Amino acid sequence: MKRLLKIYMEKPELAALLLLVVLILLFQSRSGGIFLTAGNLRGVFGILPEMALVAIGVTVLMICGEFDLSVGAVFALMPMTIAVLMIHDVSFPVALAAGLLVCVAIGFLNGFLTIQFTIPSFITTLGMMFVARSLTVVVSGGFPPLLSPDLPTWLFTSFVGPGGLFRMSFIWFVVVAILVSLLLSRTNFGNWVRATGGFLPAANAMGIPTARVKIACFILCSVLSGFAGLIQVLRLGSPLPSIGEGMELQAVAAAVIGGTALTGGIGAVLGGIIGVALIRVIDNGLILSQVDANWFKFAIGSLTIFAVIANSWLRKRAKAIKVEV
C-alpha cells in the first residue's frame, strides 16, 4: 500500500491512464468491436488535438496556481482575426503573426491584471472571456467571413501516417506536447512553475521571479488556445464566432482528471492529455454503444468530481503514512 501511494504521489496521472484503458476495453466490447477500428480512431485522433492543445496550456497554468476561463473565447478570436485580415489581402504569415500577437496580448493582460491588482485569476479571465468573445463578433461584422483560398489548410488538416490515420494537426500536437513536457521537467523554468504554484511565499523567498513566471504561463495558455482554434477552423472550413464555447470548462476538467491539483504545484502535461483522451473516448464510446448522448456531460461531471475526491483522499493518505514513518 505504501509503495502504491508513493508511485501515485510521483505520477498522479497513472490513475487516469488506468481508467482510460478500462474505458477503451469497455467501449470496444459494448460497440461490437467498432471502437478500435481504423475508421473510428481516425475520427477520434482528428479532433483530439484541438482540445488537447488547450488542455496543455491550462494544465501548465494550473500547476502554476492560476486559472484561465478565457481560453474558449481566444480559441475563436485568433482564427477570426486571421480570416478577416486575409480578406483584406494580408498574407497568411503576417496574419498568423498578428493572430498570435493578439493571443500574447490577452495572455499578458490576464497575468498582469491578476498580479498587479491581486485579483483572483478566475475573475480576471472570466471578464476577459466576455471581452474576447465580444471582439470576435465585432471583428467578424456579425457574419462568419469566407476563408481565403491562400490558407495552407494541408499543413494542419491533411491526413498522414499509415492508412491516413492521423491529421497533420496531430503531429503539431505531439510536437507541442513534447516541447512543453521538456520545458516543465528539464528546465529551471519548469521548476519555477511548480515552486510558484506549490507555495508562492517560499518561491518568492528563493528569488524566483514569480510574477514573470505566471505571466509567461498565461501567455503560453492563450497562444496554445488560439493555435488550437486555428486548427479547428481549418478543419471545419469556417471561422464561426461561437466555436470554443464551453471548452474552458472541459480543459479544466481534463487537467483535474489527469491528476493536476486545483491548488497548484502538482500535475503533468501527460495527465492533461490523458484527461482529454478520456473525454473524447467517453464522447465517442457512448455514441457507438448507442447510449443517449445527453449522458455525456453527466459522465464528465461525475468523473471530474470523482477525480478531485480521489486525488484529495490519496494525498491525505500519503501524508499520513509519511508522518507515521
Side-chain angles (χ1 to χ4, degrees):
M1 181 63 178
K2 293 180 181 179
R3 183 177 177 82
L4 289 175
L5 284 173
K6 182 180 179 182
I7 293 174
Y8 169 78
M9 289 298 292
E10 294 176 349
K11 301 288 183 182
E13 64 272 15
L14 290 181
L17 180 60
L18 177 62
L19 179 58
L20 176 63
V21 173
V22 171
L23 285 178
I24 289 174
L25 294 176
L26 174 63
F27 287 133
Q28 173 71 355
S29 173
R30 289 290 303 272
S31 65
I34 298 175
F35 186 82
L36 291 178
T37 59
N40 186 61
L41 290 178
R42 186 181 297 113
V44 173
F45 289 140
I47 62 176
L48 177 70
E50 295 156 15
M51 185 189 293
L53 286 168
V54 179
I56 289 173
V58 169
T59 298
V60 172
L61 188 58
M62 287 179 64
I63 294 172
C64 196
E66 302 292 348
F67 291 90
D68 190 348
L69 297 181
S70 68
V71 291
V74 175
F75 187 92
L77 177 58
M78 192 270 209
M80 184 64 75
T81 302
I82 293 176
V84 171
L85 286 175
M86 292 192 70
I87 287 177
H88 293 84
D89 299 324
V90 177
S91 65
F92 175 72
V94 176
L96 176 61
L100 291 174
L101 283 175
V102 169
C103 296
V104 170
I106 291 176
F108 176 80
L109 279 174
N110 282 335
F112 177 78
L113 294 175
T114 297
I115 296 166
Q116 184 68 24
F117 299 101
T118 323
I119 306 171
S121 56
F122 180 92
I123 301 300
T124 307
T125 57
L126 178 64
M128 189 61 72
M129 176 184 73
F130 291 114
V131 170
R133 186 65 68 179
S134 178
L135 284 175
T136 304
V137 177
V138 171
V139 169
S140 68
F143 299 93
L146 296 175
L147 289 180
S148 169
D150 296 329
L151 278 168
T153 305
W154 62 271
L155 187 59
F156 301 96
T157 61
S158 59
F159 287 99
V160 294
L165 186 60
F166 306 106
R167 289 183 183 269
M168 278 296 296
S169 58
F170 191 84
I171 307 301
W172 283 100
F173 149 65
V174 170
V175 171
V176 170
I178 292 174
L179 291 177
V180 177
S181 294
L182 291 175
L183 181 70
L184 278 181
S185 61
R186 302 293 179 86
T187 67
N188 284 335
F189 180 78
N191 295 329
W192 291 352
V193 169
R194 295 186 185 280
T196 300
F199 191 52
L200 185 60
N204 284 323
M206 293 169 61
I208 295 174
T210 55
R212 282 185 286 172
V213 169
K214 288 192 175 188
I215 289 175
C217 289
F218 272 109
I219 291 174
L220 175 66
C221 184
S222 186
V223 168
L224 289 181
S225 300
F227 183 62
L230 174 63
I231 290 174
Q232 183 172 105
V233 164
L234 293 178
R235 178 175 64 84
L236 297 177
S238 178
L240 301 174
S242 60
I243 63 171
E245 289 185 351
M247 182 165 285
E248 57 280 339
L249 299 181
Q250 289 194 31
V252 171
V256 171
I257 292 169
T260 304
L262 291 169
T263 52
I266 299 174
V269 169
L270 178 60
I273 294 171
I274 293 173
V276 172
L278 272 168
I279 292 175
R280 291 276 68 88
V281 164
I282 291 173
D283 187 16
N284 183 263
L286 289 176
I287 295 173
L288 292 181
S289 303
Q290 298 183 352
V291 177
D292 189 343
N294 290 321
W295 287 103
F296 168 66
K297 290 184 178 180
F298 177 89
I300 300 305
S302 300
L303 185 58
T304 303
I305 294 172
F306 172 77
V308 172
I309 294 174
N311 290 342
S312 176
W313 182 81
L314 287 169
R315 288 186 184 114
K316 287 179 181 178
R317 287 287 301 158
K319 288 180 181 179
I321 289 176
K322 288 179 182 178
V323 170
E324 291 174 6
V325 173

